[in-house]
Amino acid sequence: MSLIENLRGRGEGEESPGGKYNPFRILEIGESMVRYCDGIRIKNYNFLAILTSDRLVLIESAQQSAGTIAKEIPVSMIQGAVMERDEKNRPALAISMEVGGQTRLMKLVFTGLIAEPETECREWFAAINGYPPEPEVQKEPEPLPSVQVPPSAEPHPQSKQVSPSPIIDAEAVSAVRKEVPVQESVADQVKP
């Protein structure tokens, strides 16, 4: 069997190793594979989703061995995709489609059945839209509330406090500590 035949699938009725459907079997002449992923949830069903150069094909996961296509959407109908989260905080794509003059949404949820659902969702976004999603902005931790130090408790301007850094040589730190006068702690200086 040649490499191309192996990629496109075995003879009719033969399954891929492990009993999973070989997504390359659905390719038609001139059509190329873009992405495929098993474990995509739409409403209450899990699908093997296959995105080709011409169409988005959905095969119900439970029916993979039969290879029966549950839904087929031409790529020309797909307007774009937006990354979202479902009610269980899983990554999802809301795909908008033009159907009979109306825009419809279909939400693909990338479930825990997928090794890396976050990465897979981002790659599907890029494949559908033609550009990668914006990088996620990490929220900066909120600063701790500042404590007001009474003026009498402020350190004297001539003395400097040295805090050791893990990068500084230990001998250099001990030499600096010998030069710095010992100060009373702030708690000892503030008296009620």
Side-chain angles (χ1 to χ4, degrees):
M1 185 179 285
S2 74
L3 177 62
I4 297 296
E5 290 170 328
N6 190 28
L7 287 176
R8 293 198 91 173
R10 292 160 173 57
E12 294 298 317
E14 291 182 38
E15 293 182 22
S16 298
K20 296 291 182 178
Y21 182 78
N22 183 343
F24 289 90
R25 289 177 61 186
I26 67 146
L27 292 178
E28 296 175 354
I29 295 174
E31 191 174 33
S32 61
M33 180 66 65
V34 178
R35 303 262 345 135
Y36 64 90
C37 184
D38 195 8
I40 301 285
R41 191 159 185 84
I42 301 172
K43 296 188 180 180
N44 294 326
Y45 299 96
N46 286 327
F47 292 93
L48 165 63
I50 305 165
L51 181 63
T52 73
S53 55
D54 297 335
R55 57 202 168 125
L56 171 61
V57 177
L58 301 171
I59 298 174
E60 195 171 339
S61 290
Q63 304 297 322
Q64 279 188 42
S65 59
T68 306
I69 294 174
K71 187 88 171 158
E72 191 171 322
I73 302 159
V75 168
S76 61
M77 293 175 64
I78 299 175
Q79 296 174 328
V82 176
M83 289 182 62
E84 295 183 348
R85 294 271 184 201
D86 76 341
E87 63 280 350
K88 294 181 180 177
N89 200 30
R90 296 177 293 194
L93 276 183
I95 299 177
S96 58
M97 298 173 281
E98 178 77 25
V99 180
Q102 295 180 340
T103 300
R104 299 220 175 145
L105 286 177
M106 177 173 65
K107 187 182 281 190
L108 278 63
V109 178
F110 293 78
T111 67
L113 300 173
I114 302 166
E116 295 195 28
E118 297 285 339
T119 302
E120 194 67 37
C121 183
R122 295 176 72 76
E123 290 179 6
W124 274 76
F125 176 95
I128 291 170
N129 292 320
Y131 58 88
E134 294 292 321
E136 292 181 16
V137 178
Q138 298 293 329
K139 292 182 181 177
E140 292 183 22
E142 292 185 27
L144 295 173
S146 61
V147 177
Q148 296 293 331
V149 179
S152 62
E154 289 183 11
H156 298 282
Q158 69 269 15
S159 66
K160 295 181 183 176
Q161 291 191 352
V162 177
S163 60
S165 168
I167 301 172
I168 298 175
D169 181 51
E171 291 177 21
V173 172
S174 62
V176 170
R177 285 187 181 160
K178 290 177 187 173
E179 296 173 1
V180 176
V182 178
Q183 269 193 330
E184 294 177 303
S185 71
V186 173
D188 292 339
Q189 290 179 3
V190 179
K191 294 182 182 173

